[in-house]
Amino acid sequence: MQLKLGSVTVVTTNSPDMARQFLKTHDSTFASRPRLAAGKHTTYNYSNITWSACGPHWRQGRKIMLTHLFSLKSLEAYERVRVEERSDFLARLHGSRGEHVRVKDHLSRLNLSVMSRIVLGRNHFTGSNNHRNDRSSGESGVLRLEEIQKILDELFSISAAFVVGNCIPWLARLDLKGYVKRMKILGQKFDEFLEFCIDEHMMARNGQPKGPAKDMMDVLLDLADDPDLEVKLTIDNVKGFTLDLLAGGTDTAATTVEWAMAELMKNPEKINTAAEELDRVIGRGRWVEEKDTPNLPYLDAILKGNFQAAPGWLAAHPARGPQRLPSRTLPHFQRHFGPDQPVEHGSEPGRVGLSGGVPSGEVFEQGH
């Protein structure tokens, strides 16, 4: 189906096979990102990976992440952090027994704590109600959990919002609905926090012999000083990459686990089957460890089924040129939007719902 949103043409499809053509078969053609207001105002003028166009900068950023964070060696090195934070998470849940618990709040706190220690070297977020404004006090947290969660929720909300200026450029200066103003305020909040983190790392490095990087920000700051990089890494790039890791490693993971738990609660027989597998393979004498995953095929199938039933937020993917598909030839597209969460079809412009547990549509916008 073909629609018209302002200056752009939108083509939708509800075919999984067609979605596979866009997102897998022709991934290299649709691997870029559009120049949307969210990327400009919240990620330092597209200085991160999520909103950067496909090119040398994007490839270099992807290589940095794969080499220094997602490699097998790095994942094993950070396993201790994940185990410690998981133990704290379970202890907090146990302490809340008998009370009403909002699971996503606890999951978000777990993921924030893990990502903060991996990316920033320590946990910068505290559950205390005492807001710490004095940054020189040496306290372990500089933001309350409620604050950072509210900021991240706002980031995902306005990133998925329908900004009129993205589709009708000559109306962008009017900032209808005030989304751009909210983006600028949010960008200032992130910048203040990231500036503090960078200053903290720079002070720790001053006068000290250069040693192995302790966290991802150390890695990024070292790379910013590397004259041999294909593309010079700026401080804005360091901030943008850090924001990618904190935001992407928190909300999506928490939402995915929450959806999995909700689906299991609606299917208690599957909980029983998974529990039987855990008792058979792991037993009751120890915790499940990451290395046990290959021996738990039923639990692995539950996770994969959940990824299909509740896919995470999908960023926009503009095409880099005309593309011939099995059913038709598409012209040069400027933007492509996909579903970010299960919503009813047509409930919000530019977003698509889910039907039967599979994405019911991918949206593509033709350049004006």
Side-chain angles (χ1 to χ4, degrees):
M1 182 173 63
Q2 187 166 302
L3 306 172
K4 192 79 172 178
L5 294 178
S7 305
V8 294
T9 301
V10 180
V11 178
T12 67
T13 176
N14 62 357
S15 165
D17 291 334
M18 188 61 68
R20 189 177 297 110
Q21 291 287 326
F22 286 110
L23 302 177
K24 185 176 180 180
T25 307
H26 302 290
D27 177 64
S28 59
T29 302
F30 295 95
S32 194
R33 297 290 186 272
R35 311 289 275 188
L36 301 183
K40 178 179 181 180
H41 299 296
T42 64
T43 60
Y44 304 93
N45 201 26
Y46 317 102
S47 293
N48 65 339
I49 298 175
T50 301
W51 291 110
S52 65
C54 185
H57 168 73
W58 179 84
R59 288 191 294 270
Q60 178 173 274
R62 186 171 181 269
K63 182 179 179 181
I64 289 172
M65 297 300 176
L66 292 174
T67 303
H68 297 284
L69 184 62
F70 300 120
S71 67
L72 181 60
K73 181 180 178 181
S74 298
L75 291 174
E76 290 176 348
Y78 292 128
E79 183 177 3
R80 176 184 60 83
V81 173
R82 296 192 294 273
V83 170
E84 291 174 358
E85 293 299 335
R86 183 191 65 193
S87 298
D88 290 345
F89 162 71
L90 294 173
R92 287 193 298 271
L93 282 182
H94 185 265
S96 301
R97 62 189 184 279
E99 303 174 5
H100 291 287
V101 174
R102 189 171 186 265
V103 176
K104 189 178 179 182
D105 290 344
H106 288 269
L107 292 171
S108 296
R109 179 173 180 177
L110 167 64
N111 292 327
L112 270 173
S113 299
V114 170
M115 294 308 299
S116 181
R117 291 179 62 182
I118 291 175
V119 178
L120 304 175
R122 66 185 180 91
N123 192 349
H124 280 265
F125 312 113
T126 174
S128 170
N129 290 327
N130 298 321
H131 180 42
R132 296 181 171 97
N133 290 318
D134 183 5
R135 291 180 167 179
S136 62
S137 64
E139 295 286 350
S140 62
V142 295
L143 284 176
R144 287 185 293 118
L145 281 167
E146 295 85 353
E147 280 186 303
I148 188 63
Q149 190 58 58
K150 184 178 180 181
I151 291 173
L152 291 175
D153 289 344
E154 174 80 349
L155 174 65
F156 281 95
S157 174
I158 62 175
S159 294
F162 183 77
V163 180
V164 175
N166 289 334
C167 296
I168 310 177
W170 59 271
L171 287 179
R173 67 180 64 187
L174 300 180
D175 188 21
L176 303 178
K177 295 190 176 182
Y179 286 128
V180 172
K181 181 180 179 180
R182 289 167 58 187
M183 290 174 185
K184 291 179 179 179
I185 294 173
L186 190 63
Q188 291 173 354
K189 291 180 179 179
F190 277 125
D191 188 65
E192 182 182 357
F193 172 67
L194 294 172
E195 278 285 352
F196 166 70
C197 294
I198 291 175
D199 289 345
E200 185 179 60
H201 279 71
M202 295 301 290
M203 285 190 292
R205 293 153 65 98
N206 285 342
Q208 299 293 329
K210 189 173 181 178
K214 299 181 179 64
D215 51 58
M216 269 304 293
M217 182 163 279
D218 274 332
V219 170
L220 293 172
L221 290 173
D222 286 342
L223 291 172
D225 295 332
D226 187 350
D228 298 326
L229 283 182
E230 179 185 1
V231 180
K232 172 66 176 174
L233 206 64
T234 67
I235 291 298
D236 280 351
N237 293 139
V238 173
K239 294 177 183 177
F241 290 178
T242 302
L243 180 56
D244 272 348
L245 293 170
L246 290 176
T250 300
D251 186 85
T252 304
T255 302
T256 300
V257 175
E258 185 183 34
W259 268 101
M261 295 180 67
E263 291 296 329
L264 285 173
M265 290 175 67
K266 292 190 293 184
N267 297 274
E269 71 282 356
K270 292 182 172 57
I271 295 180
N272 295 333
T273 305
E276 290 172 3
E277 182 183 65
L278 288 170
D279 288 340
R280 184 178 67 255
V281 177
I282 307 299
R284 297 294 180 100
R286 67 178 180 89
W287 291 108
V288 179
E289 299 178 7
E290 294 178 7
K291 63 182 180 181
D292 295 319
T293 304
N295 301 320
L296 299 169
Y298 189 81
L299 193 61
D300 186 56
I302 289 176
L303 295 176
K304 291 178 179 177
N306 183 67
F307 287 138
Q308 182 186 27
W313 181 75
L314 182 64
H317 290 254
R320 301 166 67 187
Q323 180 63 59
R324 178 176 293 277
L325 299 174
S327 60
R328 62 184 294 181
T329 298
L330 297 180
H332 184 180
F333 286 104
Q334 193 71 10
R335 299 173 192 149
H336 151 219
F337 290 101
D340 64 326
Q341 59 181 350
V343 293
E344 293 185 4
H345 185 73
S347 64
E348 194 167 335
R351 295 168 69 181
V352 221
L354 300 182
S355 175
V358 222
S360 67
E362 303 295 333
V363 184
F364 301 88
E365 299 189 13
Q366 181 181 345
H368 53 275

